[in-house]
Amino acid sequence: MNAKSILSFGIMLSISATAFGWGQKGHDVTAFIAENHLTSATKAACDSIFEGKSIVYWSNWADNACHTPQYDYTKTWHYRNIDAGNDYDKFPRNENGDVTTAIKSQYAILGDSKTSLEEKQLALKLLVHFLGDIHQPMHMGHLSDRGGNNVKVKYFNSDRNLHGIWDSSLVESAHNWTFTEWQNQIDRASKEEEAQIISSMDPDDWGKETFEYATEIYDKTPEGTNISYDYIAEWTPLIEQQLLKGGLRLAHLLNTLFDPQYNK
């Protein structure tokens, strides 16, 4: 099979995939980057909460769980939709919750000594996943089109929607890597770059940043756009950046929470 055939095969696989968050690959990448930046104390704390399983193991759990009766209350926690031309801070929040408020609440649960192991397990599963979601631009997309789900585009001439393209297709087409290869290749920020990425622990700062990227994507991807090789090349650097930021910020949150020596 030649290189063009391999790429075409990969594209077809990504087209048939169910659209969730960053897609399974993206969430695994985010969690694995974080895992590689956990201190020994933090890793021990996470291992204890998850009873030996890694944060990568649970990174996609929330996407399946929100479609079950027990956890359907978390459906709106994966995103925050803001219509074009609106101020991020002033736009009304979903009364059922959104991704930034969910990150704050789950972080608080993990830091509360009174919460049970079961409560901490759920909070950590959700936190790991939502750090991926908040960095996926279409999860900060427009309310009017359901975060790009109603924006019809073509992907190599196949009918798709803008949200689904950004969930999985672009990640898989950018690099045909495993999640460990993704981490190996993009997790190379300098100390100065990393310090800038983790300089804020406020999820709304991250949300505003992602919302700005979403605005640019909408501007450059009008309905009916036929997405092809040039589009993948243009947006691959942003995808790499957002996956890296999500992983580094997740690690920073967890290290700050679980390792008393981390910020000393």
Side-chain angles (χ1 to χ4, degrees):
M1 185 179 290
N2 60 34
K4 186 174 181 179
S5 298
I6 292 171
L7 177 59
S8 298
F9 180 66
I11 289 167
M12 292 308 297
L13 285 177
S14 68
I15 287 172
S16 64
T18 301
F20 283 135
W22 266 125
Q24 292 187 356
K25 180 69 65 65
H27 282 290
D28 287 348
V29 172
T30 298
F32 193 57
I33 288 172
E35 188 174 276
N36 277 269
H37 289 267
L38 300 181
T39 67
S40 297
T42 301
K43 189 175 185 304
C46 291
D47 286 348
S48 177
I49 291 172
F50 280 158
E51 300 178 312
K53 288 186 169 62
S54 72
I55 60 175
V56 177
Y57 181 92
W58 292 109
S59 66
N60 284 284
W61 177 86
D63 271 334
N64 294 322
C66 73
H67 294 286
T68 67
Q70 184 176 1
Y71 299 108
D72 64 355
Y73 66 90
T74 67
K75 281 184 179 178
T76 66
W77 294 11
H78 294 246
Y79 56 87
R80 185 181 178 210
N81 289 160
I82 303 166
D83 278 331
N86 285 274
D87 184 276
Y88 176 95
D89 293 312
K90 296 179 181 178
F91 196 77
R93 290 183 179 270
N94 191 316
E95 63 181 12
N96 296 316
D98 60 56
V99 68
T100 57
T101 55
I103 289 172
K104 294 174 185 178
S105 65
Q106 301 315 297
Y107 191 73
I109 290 171
L110 283 171
D112 187 348
S113 60
K114 297 178 182 178
T115 55
S116 67
L117 175 60
E118 184 178 5
E119 290 171 320
K120 282 181 164 55
Q121 287 174 337
L122 176 58
L124 187 54
K125 290 174 186 177
L126 294 175
L127 186 67
V128 168
H129 186 84
F130 294 156
L131 260 290
D133 281 343
I134 198 172
H135 289 89
Q136 204 277 61
M138 287 296 104
H139 279 246
M140 304 300 292
H142 297 163
L143 179 62
S144 59
D145 58 40
R146 297 172 54 244
N149 275 291
N150 294 344
V151 177
K152 304 305 180 184
V153 297
K154 290 184 179 292
Y155 198 68
F156 291 88
N157 296 312
S158 295
D159 292 334
R160 302 294 304 282
N161 68 73
L162 185 59
H163 189 108
I165 294 303
W166 275 87
D167 272 344
S168 298
S169 303
L170 292 178
V171 175
E172 297 292 355
S173 296
H175 300 294
N176 188 23
W177 294 336
T178 65
F179 71 84
T180 57
E181 290 170 332
W182 268 94
Q183 181 275 328
N184 178 265
Q185 293 300 318
I186 71 172
D187 187 9
R188 301 184 180 209
S190 66
K191 290 186 181 299
E192 293 75 19
E193 290 168 335
E194 183 174 343
Q196 178 60 37
I197 289 171
I198 65 174
S199 59
S200 172
M201 290 182 61
D202 184 351
D204 278 306
D205 286 341
W206 311 335
K208 288 177 188 177
E209 181 182 70
T210 304
F211 175 60
E212 291 175 0
Y213 295 136
T215 300
E216 183 180 0
I217 291 165
Y218 275 110
D219 289 344
K220 293 186 176 182
T221 322
E223 185 151 356
T225 297
N226 185 24
I227 292 170
S228 187
Y229 298 101
D230 55 344
Y231 190 95
I232 295 168
E234 179 179 2
W235 292 108
T236 290
L238 178 64
I239 292 167
E240 294 172 354
Q241 170 192 289
Q242 291 301 95
L243 292 173
L244 178 61
K245 283 182 175 180
L248 292 178
R249 287 168 175 167
L250 174 58
H252 184 55
L253 286 180
L254 297 177
N255 286 330
T256 300
L257 185 63
F258 292 127
D259 188 348
Q261 302 301 313
Y262 175 64
N263 287 318
K264 291 184 178 180

